[in-house]
Amino acid sequence: MTQISATDQILLLLREQLQRSERGRVRGADREQRKSATAQQRIEALAAIRDLPERDFRRALVRGLLGERLGEELVAEPAFEAVTGEVLRLIEASPEAQKLLDRVARDFRAT
């Protein structure tokens, strides 16, 4: 049996988000679907802030993805911020993961 590392899980999350982003663009990004995705709404709002530093936006993107996957109730926990920072550090340490995060960030900023 193959074990999946934390980095592999992060890559899977980023790929899923990228696929959702691409599907939304192809289908015309149904507004009702966007309203139900609170994490996505927050990320889209942050993407609209053009003077937000890129690293801060990426951190918010990772935080939103983790919150969506692990549960929004965890986002309010103080330890969640530390987890977000660690996940971002792992992503930045992996060239493949960094490229995926860059693509997802660009897609959100382009919307």
Side-chain angles (χ1 to χ4, degrees), residues 2-57:
T2 304
Q3 289 187 348
I4 297 177
S5 70
T7 304
D8 293 331
Q9 290 175 334
I10 294 165
L11 289 174
L12 289 171
L13 286 172
L14 289 170
R15 284 188 182 115
E16 284 178 17
Q17 184 65 33
L18 186 59
Q19 288 170 347
R20 272 186 265 152
S21 175
E22 289 171 353
R23 277 195 305 260
R25 195 174 302 122
V26 170
R27 292 183 188 158
D30 183 8
R31 292 286 178 199
E32 288 305 312
Q33 182 180 5
R34 284 182 168 200
K35 286 182 182 177
S36 66
T38 59
Q40 186 167 351
Q41 275 183 319
R42 287 192 299 269
I43 293 168
E44 287 171 350
L46 287 170
I49 302 171
R50 297 297 173 199
D51 60 343
L52 181 68
E54 193 63 28
R55 188 155 199 286
D56 291 346
F57 176 67

Side-chain angles (χ1 to χ4, degrees), residues 7 11 89-102:
T7 304
L11 289 174
R89 187 190 65 73
L90 289 170
I91 289 171
E92 291 173 341
S94 166
E96 183 181 351
Q98 182 65 47
K99 285 180 188 176
L100 277 172
L101 183 60
D102 289 346

